[in-house]
Amino acid sequence: SVFERIGVIHVVIGGNENGGSAHGHKRHLNELYQAINFVPNTAIPASNIPDITIGRKDYEGVIAPHSDPLVVNLDISNHLVKRCLIDTGAYTNIMFRECFLNLGLKVEDLSPCTNPLYSFSGAGLVPLGSIRLPVMFGEGNAAKNVLAEFVVIDGSSAYNVLIGRVTLSEADAVMSIRALTLMYVSDRGE
C-alpha cells in the first residue's frame, strides 16, 4: 500500500522547563538544534558509565505480556518509601503531601514554588512547595545516592512519589518496562 501523509499534529501539554512561554520554548529548541548540529563530539564530556545490558535473568518473575508501570521502593530522607512510580513522562519529581508528612517534615521546610502543575485535562494545581531530599536507589554495594528536588502537592495517588527524568538522569538510570527493571551505576561505579 502507498502511504501518503496528509498532515502533522503538534502537541504541547503544560509548559516546559524554560519558562513556559512560546518564545522560551523556541529559544530552547534553537539551542538544542545548535548543540546537535554545531558542537563537535569532543565538547561532550566523556562518560564513566559502564555498559548496561538487560538480559534474560532480568525478566525472571515478570508475567508477559503486561503493561504494568515500573514501581520501586526507594530510601528517601532515611525512610523506606514504597510505591515510587518511575515516570519518564515527567520532568519533575512529585511527592504527595501524606508521604511528605510521614517523612517527619513540615510545610515550613518547603521552599516556595509558584509554577502550577498541569494535568492532562489542563487543570492547574499550585504545589505546596519544593524541597531537596537525599534519595538512595538500591542498597549496600549496589546503592546509588542522589540529591533530588521534589515538588510537594496536596493530592492523593496510588503512589507516594513520582520520579521524573532529571533524577533518573542524575542516577545514570536505564529502565526496561518490559522487564520491569531499573538499572543504574552504583556509587562504586558498578
Side-chain angles (χ1 to χ4, degrees), residues 14-76:
N16 60 60
E17 61 270 17
N18 297 300
S21 69
H23 178 70
H25 185 67
K26 286 179 184 177
R27 185 178 65 247
H28 177 66
L29 289 176
N30 188 39
E31 289 168 0
L32 288 177
Y33 175 79
Q34 289 178 4
I36 291 168
N37 291 297
F38 301 112
V39 177
N41 287 341
T42 56
I44 299 171
S47 175
N48 294 328
I49 301 173
D51 291 341
I52 296 176
T53 304
I54 296 172
R56 290 182 193 169
K57 68 179 177 88
D58 298 306
Y59 289 87
E60 290 177 8
V62 176
I63 299 171
H66 72 83
S67 58
D68 299 333
L70 183 53
V71 180
V72 299
N73 297 335
L74 296 172
D75 274 286
I76 301 175

Side-chain angles (χ1 to χ4, degrees), residues 40-184:
N41 287 341
T42 56
I44 299 171
S47 175
N48 294 328
I49 301 173
D51 291 341
I52 296 176
T53 304
I54 296 172
R56 290 182 193 169
K57 68 179 177 88
D58 298 306
Y59 289 87
E60 290 177 8
V62 176
I63 299 171
H66 72 83
S67 58
D68 299 333
L70 183 53
V71 180
V72 299
N73 297 335
L74 296 172
D75 274 286
I76 301 175
S77 197
N78 297 322
H79 290 76
L80 177 61
V81 178
K82 297 186 174 196
R83 301 211 38 89
C84 301
L85 176 67
I86 303 301
D87 187 357
T88 60
Y91 177 81
T92 305
N93 301 316
I94 305 291
M95 180 177 288
F96 294 91
R97 183 178 183 270
E98 196 64 31
C99 177
F100 173 78
L101 295 174
N102 284 331
L103 292 175
L105 300 168
K106 298 178 178 78
V107 175
E108 296 80 35
D109 297 326
L110 294 170
S111 298
C113 182
T114 57
N115 293 335
L117 300 174
Y118 293 96
S119 69
F120 287 112
S121 68
L125 173 69
V126 177
L128 298 172
S130 66
I131 190 167
R132 292 183 67 80
L133 298 171
V135 175
M136 184 171 70
F137 293 83
E139 55 189 26
N141 290 337
K144 174 67 172 199
N145 291 280
V146 296
L147 190 59
E149 183 165 0
F150 289 89
V151 173
V152 180
I153 63 170
D154 192 3
S156 60
S157 172
Y159 308 103
N160 289 306
V161 299
L162 310 180
I163 300 296
R165 295 187 308 270
V166 172
T167 297
L168 295 172
S169 179
E170 289 174 6
D172 295 323
V174 175
M175 64 180 284
S176 167
I177 291 295
R178 190 170 189 182
L180 291 177
T181 300
L182 181 70
M183 294 186 172
Y184 50 88

